[in-house]
């Protein structure tokens, strides 16, 4: 009985210790494979704030959990168009810019964009594009755009993102239709094209599309530029092409949920990420386009020469805007076409 | 089955109050199980049932207003076809599991005591590793420049690499691999209980090996096969990880569609409606199996 009481006392002490430390914790909810562990460890070492890191693998998952799970997160990392909905739905807290002295390091090209024109709610984390990767050892014909990729002769050799909005927007770009105003008429026009395309695809994978290319199961891909950059680093045979018909640029941001409990620590974390020497660590691990102009000065010549991270030229590049309920129509269209194959 | 029926018939001397205490004790013993079922089965199912008649707003939040729309959408040919295909995959998986699992279970069940323990351990060993990691291992085996193709071409069995990964065959391989132990274990349970004397008696009465198998062994192991079939077929229909990882997410199965409604599409009411229809199908088929078995034994 005595030992039982002692156990209870120990548990009570533990619970007390946990609650006493609660003020020094930061709940970070970010993309999987996007925030290097050394960055988080460095932040904890410097500030003593413990970081609880949870991950998600799509913007929709982030929204589902944020809407369902309430205010247990202090920092989230949505993409531009998701941040736009979150701002409109008052899910994000305005930033206290005086607490972010390193904000000046950012390249103005990536700030005050359509999703957050006043720059009040979001801070760019990394940016990138969705483009074509070609294994030039296997594919000898020039590949310039979506139409070249979805050629029947490449049937069963293509990997694309498992992302319905992306797939439909490639078709819309190819038909020269707007990607951010979705109408039933335009979807009907895109439908036959998407129907033909999904039949040619071997793998739909958003998490690690590079795997199918590295393994040799696919020769062409339409993937995140960061994945393409890693492929290029492994072998120069993987060339990155910005599709001639138009490409999607995404800006992933850091933001603080309106119901965050520890906004002070959240600001500290965001400012820590904005430091050039920290930002470089992120670029090294995940070679997307770094929006931090100061950090870019610290990058190696090889990293800056990576065509997937810092593409030169190319066609029209657009960011996605929120399309509201049309997302459901797109989802249904692609599910329908995929299951018909 | 009445869970409250006390296992032993009360003897004549016992007083009614004793009997009542036994019932009360039975409930007490069942409490953890009942609480568990209520918290993790009854309540979530009730929530899903309510959600399935609701609508969603722009953010994917559930809006409580009554509608049949989600159920109408389930009947859309797109989703019916996906249901049909999922049942097909699960049925094929179950059949392969029976064919492959039965001999294994039979050998283990008829082996000597010491061997039986070792062989059973081998069936269980894969569970020590995460299911996802084991599925990733299959990618390494099946990919174009992978272990299987490497071995086959080294032995000059094939000249061009076989197209295995990201095909329906890969999905079935993954499903069979995942669920085979759930077929082997219940069949083993039945085989172990077979009285060897019955088989000898059948031989003595002039039955050949085939006759013994079909008339003695199969009927005696039928409960194990039935349990294994349920344990394999039901989860195989809803599986989505294998289709994504080994099938390249080319063709959606019902598990993928439901998962997609709760994640990417953020249409929880529709996902809930799909889930409810799915559950109803199970309840009905399970009821039919039970009735069929009762008629068998009657």
């Amino acid at each position: 009985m005595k030992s039982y009481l002692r156990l209870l006392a120990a548990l009570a002490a533990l619970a007390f210790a946990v609650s006493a430390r609660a003020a020094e914790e930061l709940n970070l909810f970010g993309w999987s494979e996007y925030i290097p562990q050394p960055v988080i460890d460095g932040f904890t070492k410097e500030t003593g704030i413990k970081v609880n890191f949870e991950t998600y693998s799509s913007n929709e998952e982030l929204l589902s959990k944020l809407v369902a799970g309430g205010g247990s997160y202090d920092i989230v990392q949505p993409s531009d168009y998701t941040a736009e909905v979150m701002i409109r739905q008052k899910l994000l807290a305005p930033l206290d810019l005086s607490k972010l002295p390193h904000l000046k390091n950012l390249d103005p090209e990536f700030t005050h964009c359509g999703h957050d024109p006043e720059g009040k709610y979001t801070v760019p984390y990394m940016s990138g594009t969705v483009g074509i990767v070609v294994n030039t050892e296997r594919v000898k014909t020039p590949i310039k755009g979506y139409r070249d990729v979805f050629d029947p002769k490449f049937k069963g050799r293509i990997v694309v993102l498992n992302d319905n909005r992306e797939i439909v927007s490639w078709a819309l770009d190819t038909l020269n239709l707007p990607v951010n105003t979705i109408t039933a008429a335009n979807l009907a026009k895109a439908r036959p094209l998407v129907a033909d395309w999904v039949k040619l695809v071997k793998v739909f994978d958003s998490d690690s599309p590079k795997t199918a290319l590295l393994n040799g199961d696919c020769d062409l891909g339409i993937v995140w530029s960061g994945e393409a950059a890693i492929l290029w680093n492994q072998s120069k045979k993987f060339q990155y092409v910005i599709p001639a018909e138009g490409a999607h640029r995404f800006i992933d941001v850091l933001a603080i949920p309106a119901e965050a409990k520890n906004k002070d620590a959240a600001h500290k974390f965001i400012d820590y990420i904005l430091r050039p020497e920290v930002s470089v660590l992120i670029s090294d691990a995940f070679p997307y386009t770094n929006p931090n102009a100061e950090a870019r000065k610290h990058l190696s010549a090889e990293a800056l020469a990576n065509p997937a991270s810092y593409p030169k030229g190319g066609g029209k590049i657009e960011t996605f805007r929120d399309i509201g309920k049309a997302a459901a129509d797109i989802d249904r269209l692609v599910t329908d076409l995929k299951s018909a194959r | 089955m009445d869970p409250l029926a006390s296992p032993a018939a009360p003897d004549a001397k016992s007083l009614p109050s004793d009997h009542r205490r036994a019932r009360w004790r039975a409930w007490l013993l069942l409490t953890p199980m009942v609480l568990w079922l209520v918290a993790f089965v009854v309540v979530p199912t009730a929530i899903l049932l309510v959600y399935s008649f609701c609508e969603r707003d722009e953010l994917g939040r559930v809006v409580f207003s009554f509608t049949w729309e989600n159920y109408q959408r389930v009947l859309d040919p797109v989703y019916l076809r996906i249901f049909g295909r999922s049942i097909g995959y699960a049925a094929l998986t179950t059949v392969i599991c029976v064919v492959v699992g039965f001999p294994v279970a039979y050998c283990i069940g008829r082996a000597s005591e010491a061997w039986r323990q070792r062989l059973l351990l081998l069936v269980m060993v894969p569970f020590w590793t995460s299911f996802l990691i084991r599925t990733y291992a299959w990618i390494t085996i099946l990919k174009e420049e992978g272990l299987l193709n490497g071995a086959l071409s080294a032995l000059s069995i094939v000249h061009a690499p076989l197209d295995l990964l990201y095909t329906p065959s890969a999905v079935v391989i993954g499903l069979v691999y995942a669920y085979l132990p759930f077929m082997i274990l219940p069949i083993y349970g039945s085989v172990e209980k077979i009285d060897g004397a019955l088989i000898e008696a059948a031989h003595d009465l002039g039955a050949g090996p085939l006759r013994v198998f079909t008339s003695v062994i199969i009927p005696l192991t039928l409960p194990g096969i039935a349990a294994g079939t349920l344990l394999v077929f039901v989860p195989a229909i809803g599986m989505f990880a294998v289709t994504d990882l080994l099938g390249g997410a080319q063709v959606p199965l019902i598990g993928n569609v439901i998962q997609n409604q709760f994640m990417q599409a953020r249409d929880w009411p529709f996902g809930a409606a799909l889930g409810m229809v799915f559950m109803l199908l199970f309840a009905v088929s399970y009821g039919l199996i039970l009735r069929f078995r009762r008629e068998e034994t009657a």
Side-chain angles (χ1 to χ4, degrees):
Chain A
M1 197 61 197
K2 216 179 215 173
S3 64
Y4 181 64
L5 279 177
R6 212 178 291 149
L7 182 71
L8 265 185
L11 276 177
L14 190 70
F16 180 74
V18 167
S19 64
R21 288 195 45 135
E24 299 167 357
E25 286 191 14
L26 178 74
N27 294 319
L28 172 61
F29 196 33
W31 286 89
S32 57
E33 296 287 300
Y34 213 11
I35 305 180
Q37 193 59 39
V39 168
I40 294 172
D41 294 343
F43 176 73
T44 304
K45 201 172 163 199
E46 188 176 305
T47 60
I49 297 170
K50 185 177 165 242
V51 179
N52 303 316
F53 187 24
E54 247 186 84
T55 62
Y56 53 86
S57 60
S58 73
N59 280 301
E60 288 69 24
E61 191 182 341
L62 159 68
L63 272 181
S64 305
K65 289 207 176 147
L66 196 71
V67 168
S72 48
Y73 303 114
D74 297 311
I75 295 192
V76 291
Q77 201 182 18
S79 300
D80 37 33
Y81 68 99
T82 307
E84 184 184 348
V85 194
M86 293 167 88
I87 294 169
R88 196 171 61 234
Q89 294 275 342
K90 307 213 176 339
L91 290 173
L92 295 182
L95 298 170
D96 181 349
L97 300 186
S98 67
K99 288 183 183 166
L100 303 172
H102 289 95
L103 208 56
K104 61 178 193 313
N105 292 342
L106 290 171
D107 184 334
E109 189 189 337
F110 299 94
T111 56
H112 303 86
C113 293
H115 57 273
D116 182 16
E118 292 168 65
K120 259 170 50 182
Y121 295 92
T122 63
V123 172
Y125 175 80
M126 276 286 177
S127 175
T129 45
V130 173
I132 301 165
V133 179
V134 186
N135 179 341
T136 51
E137 278 179 12
R138 298 253 186 101
V139 176
K140 297 298 181 190
T141 49
I143 303 291
K144 294 208 172 65
Y146 302 118
R147 280 204 191 270
D148 301 328
V149 173
F150 295 108
D151 184 319
K153 71 179 176 209
F154 297 128
K155 182 175 169 51
R157 308 303 308 169
I158 304 168
V159 50
V160 303
L161 299 175
N162 191 15
D163 185 311
N164 297 342
R165 182 167 181 196
E166 287 286 350
I167 295 168
V168 168
S169 76
W170 306 334
L172 292 170
D173 266 335
T174 304
L175 297 168
N176 217 2
L177 296 168
V179 297
N180 285 321
T181 358
I182 305 291
T183 63
N186 285 354
L187 281 185
K189 282 183 205 157
R191 189 182 171 103
L193 205 53
V194 178
D196 287 342
W197 288 1
V198 293
K199 286 187 198 126
L200 303 174
V201 173
K202 182 158 201 186
V203 187
F204 294 89
D205 184 359
S206 293
D207 298 326
S208 183
K210 62 177 179 293
T211 309
L213 287 154
L214 270 180
N215 285 348
D217 285 302
C218 290
D219 303 330
L220 291 145
I222 304 183
V223 305
W224 315 116
S225 58
E227 293 272 308
I230 294 170
L231 286 169
W232 190 81
N233 284 342
Q234 300 218 354
S235 164
K236 302 289 175 278
K237 72 181 177 193
F238 293 112
Q239 281 298 320
Y240 187 71
V241 181
I242 295 279
E245 296 95 338
H248 165 213
R249 160 184 277 169
F250 54 88
I251 303 174
D252 295 324
V253 302
L254 294 171
I256 304 176
E259 289 174 31
K261 301 216 169 49
N262 202 350
K263 294 197 172 90
D264 203 45
H267 280 91
K268 276 187 195 154
F269 186 83
I270 294 176
D271 198 53
Y272 180 79
I273 293 277
L274 287 170
R275 288 190 209 164
E277 69 275 15
V278 176
S279 189
V280 160
L281 293 177
I282 303 170
S283 271
D284 287 345
F286 305 107
Y288 284 91
T289 311
N290 197 324
N292 192 318
E294 288 300 312
R296 278 201 213 177
K297 292 179 188 160
H298 292 69
L299 286 174
S300 67
E302 160 129 14
L304 285 171
N306 193 321
S309 311
Y310 302 99
K312 290 170 191 72
K316 153 188 87 159
I317 299 188
E318 273 182 292
T319 53
F320 277 179
R321 300 295 299 273
D322 174 51
I323 48 169
K325 282 199 171 180
D329 301 331
I330 287 181
D331 181 71
R332 190 178 183 155
L333 172 77
V334 179
T335 306
D336 189 1
L337 294 176
K338 268 181 157 186
S339 69
R341 40 183 284 161
Chain B
M1 285 258 280
D2 179 9
L4 299 179
S6 50
D11 55 70
K13 274 185 279 176
S14 72
L15 297 164
S17 71
D18 271 0
H19 187 50
R20 216 173 295 137
R21 203 178 300 148
R23 288 172 68 104
W24 183 77
R25 231 180 272 143
W27 269 118
L28 198 69
L29 285 173
L30 279 174
T31 309
M33 184 63 188
V34 170
L35 284 180
W36 196 90
L37 280 177
V38 168
F40 297 111
V41 179
V42 179
V43 172
T45 311
I47 294 175
L48 277 187
L49 183 66
V50 173
Y51 277 6
S52 68
F53 290 104
C54 293
E55 286 176 79
R56 45 159 288 186
D57 70 357
E58 176 198 42
L59 264 183
R61 280 180 291 214
V62 176
V63 181
F64 293 94
S65 58
F66 185 84
T67 173
W68 283 104
E69 202 195 307
N70 301 310
Y71 285 96
Q72 277 163 9
R73 210 176 140 195
V74 173
L75 298 177
D76 187 317
V78 177
Y79 301 105
L80 290 182
R81 205 161 49 217
I82 295 175
F83 259 114
R85 186 186 291 125
S86 308
I87 290 171
Y89 271 84
L92 182 60
T93 303
T94 311
V95 169
I96 298 178
C97 279
V98 173
V99 172
V100 176
F102 192 93
V104 178
Y106 191 80
C107 291
I108 299 178
R110 306 314 282 175
S112 71
E113 183 69 31
W115 269 104
R116 210 183 286 171
Q117 297 308 324
R118 279 176 223 157
L119 291 171
L120 272 184
L121 189 71
L122 282 182
V123 176
M124 314 275 214
V125 159
F127 291 111
W128 297 353
T129 315
S130 151
F131 167 70
L132 281 180
I133 293 175
R134 286 182 281 132
T135 306
Y136 275 106
W138 274 104
I139 296 182
T140 316
I141 296 173
L142 296 177
K143 67 184 180 187
E144 198 175 298
E145 294 160 8
L147 298 175
L148 185 62
N149 272 318
L152 289 178
S153 61
L155 296 170
S156 313
I157 295 173
V158 295
H159 298 293
L162 293 177
D163 194 20
L164 290 168
L165 189 57
Y166 310 122
T167 62
S169 324
V171 174
V172 174
I173 290 175
L175 288 172
V176 168
Y177 171 74
Y179 293 117
L180 191 56
F182 297 98
M183 184 62 82
I184 293 179
L185 294 176
I187 297 182
Y188 159 80
S190 298
V191 169
E192 199 197 12
K193 273 186 258 151
I194 296 181
D195 188 347
L198 290 174
I199 297 174
E200 283 164 25
H203 280 303
D204 289 347
L205 292 171
L210 189 69
R211 187 77 202 277
V212 171
F213 183 70
T214 53
S215 307
V216 179
I217 297 175
I218 290 280
L220 287 174
T221 49
L222 210 53
I225 297 174
T229 301
L230 271 182
L231 284 177
V232 172
F233 185 72
V234 173
I237 292 188
M239 170 59 90
F240 57 85
V242 168
T243 356
D244 273 355
L245 292 175
L246 298 181
Q250 282 175 4
V251 179
L253 295 187
I254 198 67
N256 303 84
V257 176
I258 295 179
Q259 187 224 16
N260 199 35
Q261 298 313 315
F262 284 92
M263 291 298 197
Q264 269 216 352
R266 273 180 294 135
D267 197 343
W268 289 25
F270 180 53
L274 282 170
M276 292 314 296
V277 170
F278 200 29
M279 245 191 270
L280 196 73
L281 277 181
F282 281 142
V284 169
S285 46
Y286 187 64
L288 287 177
I289 289 177
L290 276 188
R291 225 175 107 183
F292 169 74
R293 275 174 56 184
R294 215 170 294 142
E295 275 166 18
E296 280 264 290
T297 47

